[in-house]
């Protein structure tokens, strides 16, 4: 009998185990307050449910679970059918949706931090967080600069093409001032634009302080 804890295997890997072994039965994933039940026939997932959710929506609910226990019960079947299609594709779609929901959950807090930074930091003209695929968290009270879209594309391309690991900061200076791009996480880059005449040292210190603040905030929110 397949049994263990989510400390041993991720939910993403776990839901594929009955499929790869072509098993028939019920996979129960239990946390302290929720139970998810997934039913397989000859390795094909045919039904899944948690609370009032059924079908593919359950995958988005459970892919982020990291604490709990699981057990596979052979030959336990359900009369219901709520799932069809490619399991791997739908699991990946659920992972992406969960990540987007997590990012959205951080948005308000990050926007407030960026707003406060621009309002209280003398050299700062604008700040935003560049998320994977060029999604942006921007301060709500600061007008969006006309140059932002092109700059985001250039910085994203530069970071992606950098041949060495551990890229931390990139400085750009032009006739309108200084910009600093700082890596916050593997998928996010902070962009700070400073006013003309601001010293490179002052911009660097301010950007590094903001980077640490956002990094701590994202880490704290992720652990909630």
């Amino acid at each position: 009998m397949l049994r263990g804890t989510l400390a041993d295997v991720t939910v993403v890997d776990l839901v594929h185990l009955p499929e790869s072994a072509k098993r028939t039965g019920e996979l129960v994933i239990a946390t302290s307050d929720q139970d998810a039940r997934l039913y397989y026939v000859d390795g094909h997932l045919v039904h899944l449910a948690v609370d009032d959710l059924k079908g593919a929506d359950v995958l988005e609910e459970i892919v982020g679970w990291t604490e709990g226990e699981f057990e596979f019960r052979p030959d336990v079947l359900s009369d219901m059918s709520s799932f069809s299609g490619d399991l791997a594709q739908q699991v990946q779609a659920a992972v992406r949706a969960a990540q987007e929901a997590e990012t959205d959950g951080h948005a308000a807090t990050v926007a407030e931090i960026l707003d406060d930074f621009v309002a209280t930091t003398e050299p700062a003209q604008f700040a935003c967080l560049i998320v994977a695929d060029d999604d942006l968290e921007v301060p709500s009270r600061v007008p969006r600069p006309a140059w932002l879209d092109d700059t985001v594309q250039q910085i994203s391309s530069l970071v992606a093409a950098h041949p060495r690991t551990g890229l931390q900061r990139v400085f750009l200076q032009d006739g309108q001032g200084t910009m600093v791009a700082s890596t916050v996480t593997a998928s996010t880059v902070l962009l700070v634009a400073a006013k003309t005449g601001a010293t490179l040292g002052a911009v660097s210190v301010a950007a590094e302080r903001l980077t640490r603040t956002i990094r701590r905030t994202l880490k704290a929110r992720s652990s909630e």
Side-chain angles (χ1 to χ4, degrees):
M1 181 178 292
L2 178 65
R3 180 183 296 165
T5 73
L6 296 182
D8 303 320
V9 60
T10 67
V11 170
V12 171
D13 291 331
L14 178 61
V15 298
H16 288 296
L17 293 181
E19 179 186 43
S20 60
K22 300 187 183 302
R23 301 291 298 276
T24 294
E26 177 192 46
L27 174 63
V28 180
I29 308 173
T31 69
S32 59
D33 56 359
Q34 287 181 296
D35 289 353
R37 298 176 182 272
L38 293 78
Y39 297 89
Y40 298 79
V41 175
D42 295 330
H44 298 288
L45 180 61
V46 295
H47 176 58
L48 60 168
V50 57
D51 296 332
D52 295 330
L53 286 179
K54 293 180 177 60
D57 290 342
V58 172
L59 293 174
E60 185 176 337
E61 177 73 16
I62 67 175
V63 290
W65 289 4
T66 58
E67 296 181 357
E69 300 178 344
F70 64 85
E71 178 181 343
F72 186 81
R73 300 169 178 172
D75 300 320
V76 177
L77 301 176
S78 171
D79 294 333
M80 300 186 67
S81 177
S82 62
F83 187 88
S84 62
D86 187 289
L87 178 58
Q89 289 182 356
Q90 297 201 49
V91 168
Q92 289 306 311
V95 170
R96 288 193 297 270
Q99 291 172 338
E100 289 170 2
E102 181 180 2
T103 299
D104 290 343
H106 298 327
T109 300
V110 172
E112 291 174 2
I113 292 172
L114 295 172
D115 260 341
D116 184 66
F117 172 80
V118 174
T120 60
T121 306
E122 176 55 32
Q125 181 184 44
F126 183 82
C128 71
L129 194 65
I130 305 172
V131 188
D133 300 323
D134 298 341
D135 293 325
L136 300 177
E137 310 278 7
V138 299
S140 58
R141 295 191 296 270
V142 178
R144 183 185 179 88
W147 45 259
L148 183 60
D149 289 339
D150 288 341
T151 302
V152 165
Q153 291 288 343
Q154 292 170 359
I155 290 176
S156 296
S157 298
L158 175 62
V159 171
H162 186 65
R164 304 199 302 182
T165 60
L167 181 63
Q168 296 180 1
R169 272 188 299 281
V170 175
F171 295 91
L172 301 170
Q173 288 184 303
D174 56 27
Q176 299 181 49
T178 301
M179 288 186 290
V180 181
S182 303
T183 300
V184 179
T185 70
S187 60
T188 57
V189 175
L190 172 69
L191 175 64
V192 172
K195 302 171 184 177
T196 304
T199 66
L200 187 60
V203 179
S204 177
V205 169
E208 176 60 23
R209 186 182 301 116
L210 179 59
T211 299
R212 290 198 300 266
T213 298
I214 294 177
R215 191 178 289 140
R216 287 195 301 268
T217 300
L218 294 178
K219 183 176 180 180
R221 292 292 295 272
S222 297
S223 62
E224 290 177 356

